[in-house]
Structures are given as C-alpha cells and as structure tokens.
Amino acid sequence: MNTLHAIANQFAHTVTAITPLGNGLINDTYLVETPSSRFVLQRINCTVFPAPEQIMANLDTLNRHIAQKDGASVKLQIPEILKTLDNSSLYRDQSSNCWRALRFIGHTESKEAISTDGDAEQAGFALGRFHRLLSDLDPQLLHDTLPGFHIAPGYLKHYHQVMQQSDLPTDRYCAEFIVLFQHIVDDLESAKQQGLLSLRVIHGDPKLNNFLFDKHTHKIVSIIDLDTVKPGLVHYDIGDCLRSCCHSTGPVEFDLAICAALLKSYLTEADAFFTEHDYHYLYPAIRLIPFELGIRFYTDYLEGNRYFKVTEPEQNLQRAIGQFRLCASIMTQESAIKGLISQLQNNVKPTKTPARNCRE
Ligand code: ADP
Ligand code: MG
C-alpha cells in the first residue's frame, strides 16, 4: 500500500484510504479517498494496450465532444480524466507502469448478469445513447488502439495458420462448425468495403459490467471502460452486447426475450442515425460475433492459451464450444430474430427518413 499511496499522491496531496474497486479483468482499479472527495485510480494494462497515451487522448476527445452537448439531455456520464498535480493525464511509476485517475461515479453498481427485462432495456438504452451521442463525432479523430479487433476474416486466417501447426488433437465439433459456417466471416467487412456500413465511434467492449446502474433508480447512468473506444462498426458493439446479455447457459441458448427488450430500447436511441443497411445487417452481426469469438477461443486453446487467461488448460476449448452453441441457437431462431428486427424497425420509424445526427 505504501507504493500505492505514493502513486495516489501524484494525483492528490492528501490521501486517507485506498481500496480495491470492482472486479474488472484488465486493469487494476482502486477507490482513493481524500479529505474532500473520492476518485478512481487505475493501472492500465500495458500488455493489452501498448499505447496508453492514445487511450487517454481518445477519452479526452470523447469527453470534449459530449461536453459540447446540452447537459440535461445527455443522460449518460463518461468518467472525466483527473490530472496529476503536475498536470499530466498519466503517471509512469518507477517500474514503467502507467497510472491514471478518473472521476468516481458514486451511488452506482455494475452487474454481472441481466436479472430483469428492465436491466436489458437499460443496457440497450445506454449503448444506443452512447452511439447516438458520438454519431456526430468524426471517428477518424480517434486512435485505433487495437488494430485488427473484430475483423473476423483476420481471426479465421490466423486460425487456419495455427491449426496446421498445433500439436493438440483437433476438437471435431469446433473444427466442423468452423468449416460449415466460415462463409459468414466476411459479412460485416464486405458490407463495410462496399460502403453499405460506415465507420462510426464504437465502445469496443460493451459488456454488461461496463455499465454503471444507479443503486436507487436501477437506471444506467454511466458507461465506463472506454479503453477500447475506436473507429469501427456499431454492429460489432450491438452483436457483442447481445452476445454477452442473451447467453443463457444449461443448455446454452440465445434468449430471445432479453434480445427483444435490449434491441427495442437500443433502436429507440439509434434510429436517429440508423440507415436501412444498418437495420439489414443487424441479424448478420448478431450471428457473427459469437462465431468470431468462438474462433478466437478455439485458436487460443490450440496455441496454448496465450491471450485469454485460463484456470485449466481446456477452458478456452469449453468457451469456444459455448460460443458456437450460442451461434447455433441464433441460427435456429433466425426467422424469429429477423421478424423481431423488422417489427422494431416498423414501430420505431414507420416511414424511413434520411439518417440524421444527434445534436442534443
Ligand atoms: P477493466 O478494464 O479491468 O474491466 P474497468 O474500467 O471496467 O476496468 O473498472 C473495473 C470496475 O471498477 C468497474 O466494473 C466498476 O465497478 C469500477 N469502476 C471503474 N471506473 C469507475 C468510475 N469512474 N466510477 C465508479 N466505478 C468505477
Ligand atoms: Mg470493465
């Protein structure tokens, strides 16, 4: 704690307490108390993010963009950067670890699983509001902190290279599932290349535990963990958010009721900038993201678990099987999911008008 105190003192003269905060898997996060306030202190994981300066520049760009909008209508807080006493956004300690401080969003909690339809509605609202607030920010102003992230054809190519060299026995279910459905990996990238889907600002990791719920109202008031924000397709975020929120286990199934609640509130927000093509590519995105993650888990298993942390050697194989089963459940429900999307599209906007930006 002495070292931690010395680090916290880079951001505040007097520190009264430091306690671990949350259960994030990437950064080390602490709550720091001073006589007058509280703030979040985080050590950025520089193995995952080799350019922390770019992450901070992206966060600053986001905060400035949202600060221009009418405060009362924003309804979603982004943690503000707190500088060191000598006015830097980052502090590098003697071991070259990178530290930052963020404003603490109080009276909130993060959740690990959806427990009510209300939670799903809130997640959809928050992701949609986030995309909408940033829909008029030029994505090219942001650094790409994770090149290749969500480029599914790239993951498939890497899988083929690894598969040929791995000493581990092939898992028949995974290998056959990949062969059967590998034709879907280009769905989003080719739509992007044809200009049907455009680059926008994405969160990159919109899992449920990166939304902060107000403890009393149970409404989401903040979206955090903005290290993966970058130019991309909002479809990656939607697919990923639905993948994580609609994955019911025992047996693995894609929960259509949660999907309906989440998409409905997402589209109420996103319709402000969504085009016909954006609607059209929702189903391909919902199907692709679990397939892509399955390929990544299975490849990592074949490579000896280099990227995803494991507590036992076959954990990434089991994770891959779980994602492929989820993908299979999505494909079984294809007509119901597509029916839901067109119903929501018609309800949200009976007559489609040209896309417009959020100018709140
Ligand atoms: P990781 O990348 O490790 O997931 P996060 O930025 O998501 O790190 O932070 C981990 C946890 O710390 C969050 O799930 C949340 O509970 C808490 N947390 C992080 N930032 C804040 C903040 N600004 N205000 C309140 N709680 C926060
Ligand atoms: Mg997190």
Side-chain angles (χ1 to χ4, degrees):
M1 272 301 185
N2 279 342
T3 334
L4 260 184
H5 263 271
I7 291 162
N9 279 139
Q10 300 298 320
F11 297 90
H13 284 296
T14 314
V15 168
T16 50
I18 304 179
T19 42
L21 180 64
N23 43 8
L25 292 177
I26 304 292
N27 299 314
D28 295 329
T29 308
Y30 301 92
L31 178 64
V32 177
E33 290 176 51
T34 74
S36 58
S37 69
R38 297 188 286 181
F39 66 89
V40 173
L41 179 67
Q42 273 187 323
R43 183 173 66 165
I44 300 177
N45 184 328
C46 290
T47 314
V48 177
F49 301 107
E53 290 79 9
Q54 293 188 352
I55 287 178
M56 298 311 283
N58 282 353
L59 185 53
D60 188 46
T61 304
L62 250 58
N63 267 308
R64 283 171 192 269
H65 182 76
I66 292 176
Q68 293 167 8
K69 298 185 184 266
D70 166 16
S73 64
V74 168
K75 291 197 177 127
L76 194 67
Q77 297 176 62
I78 304 287
E80 192 188 322
I81 300 168
L82 304 176
K83 302 245 175 115
T84 61
L85 295 173
D86 57 7
N87 205 32
S88 294
S89 299
L90 283 172
Y91 169 68
R92 257 179 217 275
D93 68 18
Q94 284 162 344
S95 317
S96 293
N97 291 310
C98 255
W99 295 84
R100 66 156 171 229
L102 300 172
R103 174 135 356 254
F104 176 65
I105 318 263
H107 311 291
T108 59
E109 59 186 354
S110 50
K111 300 190 179 193
E112 293 304 323
I114 296 271
S115 46
T116 63
D117 278 1
D119 289 349
E121 275 165 29
Q122 281 300 307
F125 156 75
L127 185 63
R129 177 53 63 114
F130 180 78
H131 286 160
R132 184 176 170 192
L133 286 168
L134 299 172
S135 63
D136 56 346
L137 173 64
D138 178 0
Q140 304 300 347
L141 295 174
L142 297 175
H143 299 281
D144 186 348
T145 51
L146 288 169
F149 189 55
H150 279 313
I151 310 294
Y155 295 122
L156 181 66
K157 194 171 161 208
H158 183 55
Y159 160 69
H160 283 303
Q161 289 159 353
V162 169
M163 180 192 69
Q164 278 158 12
Q165 288 156 10
S166 176
D167 298 331
L168 290 170
T170 301
D171 179 85
R172 247 183 94 181
Y173 174 73
C174 289
E176 286 178 4
F177 197 91
I178 295 173
V179 170
L180 259 181
F181 298 108
Q182 57 187 353
H183 59 276
I184 70 170
V185 290
D186 283 323
D187 282 359
L188 293 184
E189 293 317 301
S190 72
K192 184 170 81 184
Q193 273 147 24
Q194 292 170 63
L196 303 175
L197 296 178
S198 44
L199 281 183
R200 297 197 177 101
V201 178
I202 64 162
H203 181 281
D205 191 17
K207 288 195 304 277
L208 187 65
N209 67 10
N210 286 329
F211 298 114
L212 295 181
F213 287 77
D214 183 288
K215 277 184 187 161
H216 301 295
T217 63
H218 305 291
K219 293 200 155 102
I220 293 176
V221 292
S222 173
I223 186 162
I224 57 166
D225 209 347
L226 298 149
D227 304 337
T228 47
V229 164
K230 55 176 263 172
L233 300 179
V234 289
H235 291 67
Y236 304 147
D237 274 356
I238 302 162
D240 207 20
C241 190
L242 288 168
R243 178 197 64 72
S244 73
C245 293
C246 304
H247 188 165
S248 59
T249 48
V252 172
E253 242 171 44
F254 183 77
D255 189 322
L256 197 58
I258 292 180
C259 173
L262 200 152
L263 260 188
K264 184 177 180 203
S265 55
Y266 176 83
L267 290 171
T268 303
E269 289 294 315
D271 190 67
F273 64 87
F274 246 46
T275 65
E276 286 289 334
H277 292 306
D278 285 321
Y279 277 102
H280 176 78
Y281 280 96
L282 279 176
Y283 175 74
I286 295 169
R287 176 178 62 177
L288 177 59
I289 302 298
F291 184 61
E292 170 191 303
L293 187 59
I295 294 175
R296 294 178 65 201
F297 281 140
Y298 185 49
T299 308
D300 203 37
Y301 160 73
L302 293 175
E303 270 193 304
N305 308 312
R306 290 184 192 174
Y307 186 87
F308 297 107
K309 282 183 202 156
V310 291
T311 48
E312 41 147 330
E314 298 220 328
Q315 194 173 1
N316 279 327
L317 173 60
Q318 295 311 322
R319 287 171 173 158
I321 293 170
Q323 292 304 316
F324 290 142
R325 290 205 171 123
L326 183 65
C327 181
S329 168
I330 289 166
M331 290 191 271
T332 310
Q333 300 181 74
E334 175 173 347
S335 54
I337 298 171
K338 284 184 171 169
L340 165 72
I341 292 167
S342 38
Q343 188 196 339
L344 292 174
Q345 181 176 6
N346 292 335
N347 287 352
V348 169
K349 185 179 305 218
T351 327
K352 189 77 195 170
T353 51
R356 60 183 189 280
N357 283 331
C358 173
R359 295 267 171 221
E360 294 174 314

